[in-house]
Amino acid sequence: MNWNFTTGVFQCRLPVAGDDNQALLTLLGKQTQLNHIPRLAVENMDQVEDELRRMVMRFENREAAFWLIEGQYDQQIIARVSIQKINWMMLSAQLQWELTDACTLQSLQAVLPDLMDFIFNELGLQRLELRLAKASQYAGWPEQLGFTAEGVLPQQQEFEGQDVDLEVYSRLATD
């Protein structure tokens, strides 16, 4: 099974240790690009290398898959999209994204249909869940990407001393 593929003017590919370190530092090093998860930004290359090792281990254990989204022509990475917490018995997973300022809703609308096709048809998953911090900068995006709002998980996690409510969205293979 080939996990790398092209969709429109973007390429979706698995990260390559060593080659993608600087791009991941740029992507995961800005707090504003991670507040919707919420998660702390990485600060140095050691943290990036550790993140890459964890991504590879989780992929090899079939727990998660991470794709870097890059322009096919300019080779600039605009996003990391992943499926995590894969439950092979329930055929479900959580979708998560980290986006640069260059990644727009239109970029995701160009990438996600092919990515969803891969997830649902090649991997055989039946349900994807997306969780975003309530009132994140991506408010309204999940519905425009074909996800259905399911509700809010109040005080689902704590981040920097604050309780965070998470909005839950889902997309089924039959949607």
Side-chain angles (χ1 to χ4, degrees), residues 163-174:
D163 289 327
V164 178
D165 298 343
L166 295 178
E167 297 177 323
V168 179
Y169 303 88
S170 68
R171 180 143 179 203
L172 304 177
T174 56

Side-chain angles (χ1 to χ4, degrees), residues 20-88:
D20 292 321
N21 292 27
Q22 187 58 50
L24 277 173
L25 181 59
T26 301
L27 183 64
L28 303 176
K30 284 182 72 176
Q31 189 61 52
T32 57
Q33 294 173 175
L34 303 172
N35 285 335
H36 65 286
I37 297 175
R39 171 189 170 168
L40 287 174
V42 298
E43 296 177 1
N44 57 55
M45 200 55 76
D46 289 337
Q47 290 176 307
V48 170
E49 289 172 5
D50 190 45
E51 178 76 13
L52 278 163
R53 279 192 294 274
R54 279 194 306 266
M55 288 172 17
V56 168
M57 286 188 318
R58 292 177 68 202
F59 180 74
E60 289 174 349
N61 289 327
R62 298 182 52 147
E63 297 172 5
F66 300 84
W67 290 274
L68 296 180
I69 312 302
E70 69 181 1
Q72 190 171 351
Y73 303 110
D74 65 7
Q75 308 287 291
Q76 295 298 308
I77 293 176
I78 63 165
R80 178 176 78 164
V81 178
S82 61
I83 52 173
Q84 301 186 40
K85 300 181 182 178
I86 300 173
N87 183 329
W88 293 105

Side-chain angles (χ1 to χ4, degrees), residues 9 12 16 18 24 27 37 46 65 67 74 93 99 108 113 115 123 131 134 139 146 154 165:
V9 297
C12 302
V16 178
L24 277 173
L27 183 64
I37 297 175
D46 289 337
W67 290 274
D74 65 7
L99 312 175
L108 284 180
L115 189 58
L123 299 181
R131 295 180 178 195
K134 194 172 180 182
D165 298 343

Side-chain angles (χ1 to χ4, degrees), residues 105-121:
L105 175 61
Q106 291 74 26
S107 302
L108 284 180
Q109 288 171 326
V111 169
L112 281 186
D114 290 334
L115 189 58
M116 296 289 189
D117 183 62
F118 181 82
I119 291 167
F120 291 136
N121 296 321

Side-chain angles (χ1 to χ4, degrees), residues 103-167:
C103 188
T104 64
L105 175 61
Q106 291 74 26
S107 302
L108 284 180
Q109 288 171 326
V111 169
L112 281 186
D114 290 334
L115 189 58
M116 296 289 189
D117 183 62
F118 181 82
I119 291 167
F120 291 136
N121 296 321
E122 295 292 323
L123 299 181
L125 297 182
Q126 298 297 310
R127 174 186 165 82
L128 280 180
E129 186 176 281
L130 175 65
R131 295 180 178 195
L132 300 175
K134 194 172 180 182
S136 80
Q137 70 265 39
Y138 304 114
W141 285 30
E143 291 94 341
Q144 294 181 57
L145 294 167
F147 285 81
T148 302
E150 290 192 342
V152 176
L153 297 170
Q155 298 180 1
Q156 183 64 20
Q157 74 188 85
E158 183 269 332
F159 182 68
E160 295 189 327
Q162 301 292 319
D163 289 327
V164 178
D165 298 343
L166 295 178
E167 297 177 323

